[in-house]
Amino acid sequence: MITVRPARPDDAAFIAAGNVHMAMETEGRAPDHPLVLRGVSAVFEDAGKGRFFIAERGGTPVGQVLVQREWSDWRNAWFWWLASVHVLPEYRGYGVFRHLYVHLQALAHAEPDVCGIRLYVEDHNSRAQAVYARLGMQDGHYRVYEEDFRPPAAV
């Protein structure tokens, strides 16, 4: 059985390891683990940075997601952005992300000032895109442009 709970500071190492694994898997980059761990810990120190959630199976963490907020002046409401999405490879295909998403959907719908949920996904990550589509998410028809002043170390 998969359950979802708010992350705790003692989950920081699990989350940081997941973030590093995700970067390797999706972008072929190996970010500096101590830097990632400090970034994850900063979320626990400042709730304005976001909130992590953990999916567990039998009390063992198997997946994670970070929820961050973006104000939409067009809607006079918040979008919740899902970031740092990671499911341990051996637990993929068992509905771990679905449990995380359904949990967050329920929380978002309970907040009158939340208008939707968004996430970004690598162009070539067709498996994740298929999961998101099955959950009812749609392509937002936007591309992300960035200027990264602190890119993670390349492999």
Side-chain angles (χ1 to χ4, degrees), residues 9 26-27 32 37 59 65 83 90 99 103 118 122 125 145 154:
T26 60
E27 298 180 24
D32 180 62
L37 183 57
V65 65
E90 61 269 28
H99 280 83
H103 181 84
R118 290 179 168 165
E122 276 289 312
N125 193 344
Y145 285 78

Side-chain angles (χ1 to χ4, degrees), residues 21 36 43 48 54 57 62 84 94 110 112 115 119 121 124 127-128 135 153:
H21 184 265
V36 174
V43 173
I54 298 290
R57 184 168 182 214
V62 296
S84 299
Y94 293 98
C115 61
L119 57 74
V121 60
H124 305 303
R127 183 174 180 178
L135 289 170

Side-chain angles (χ1 to χ4, degrees), residues 9-73:
D10 63 328
D11 293 311
F14 172 81
I15 295 167
N19 287 348
V20 169
H21 184 265
M22 175 186 49
M24 286 293 301
E25 195 173 42
T26 60
E27 298 180 24
R29 300 192 214 197
D32 180 62
H33 189 272
L35 178 65
V36 174
L37 183 57
R38 287 193 306 274
V40 168
S41 296
V43 173
F44 293 108
E45 295 164 8
D46 177 2
K49 288 182 169 66
R51 295 186 298 169
F52 282 107
F53 289 83
I54 298 290
E56 291 182 327
R57 184 168 182 214
T60 300
V62 296
Q64 69 192 49
V65 65
L66 171 64
V67 177
Q68 297 173 306
R69 299 179 340 145
E70 175 192 23
W71 183 251
S72 172
D73 54 344

Side-chain angles (χ1 to χ4, degrees), residues 66-145:
L66 171 64
V67 177
Q68 297 173 306
R69 299 179 340 145
E70 175 192 23
W71 183 251
S72 172
D73 54 344
W74 292 12
R75 294 167 179 85
N76 190 33
W78 294 101
F79 271 102
W80 281 7
W81 276 89
L82 307 187
S84 299
V85 175
H86 186 257
V87 173
L88 294 176
E90 61 269 28
Y91 290 97
R92 293 178 187 166
Y94 293 98
V96 173
F97 178 75
R98 179 176 47 84
H99 280 83
L100 283 162
Y101 186 71
V102 168
H103 181 84
L104 296 173
Q105 247 185 339
L107 292 177
H109 281 289
E111 297 287 332
D113 63 345
V114 175
C115 61
I117 297 174
R118 290 179 168 165
L119 57 74
Y120 56 89
V121 60
E122 276 289 312
D123 285 336
H124 305 303
N125 193 344
S126 56
R127 183 174 180 178
Q129 291 171 28
V131 169
Y132 305 148
R134 280 194 305 272
L135 289 170
M137 298 186 89
Q138 302 168 12
D139 184 340
H141 307 290
Y142 289 95
R143 290 193 178 265
V144 174
Y145 285 78

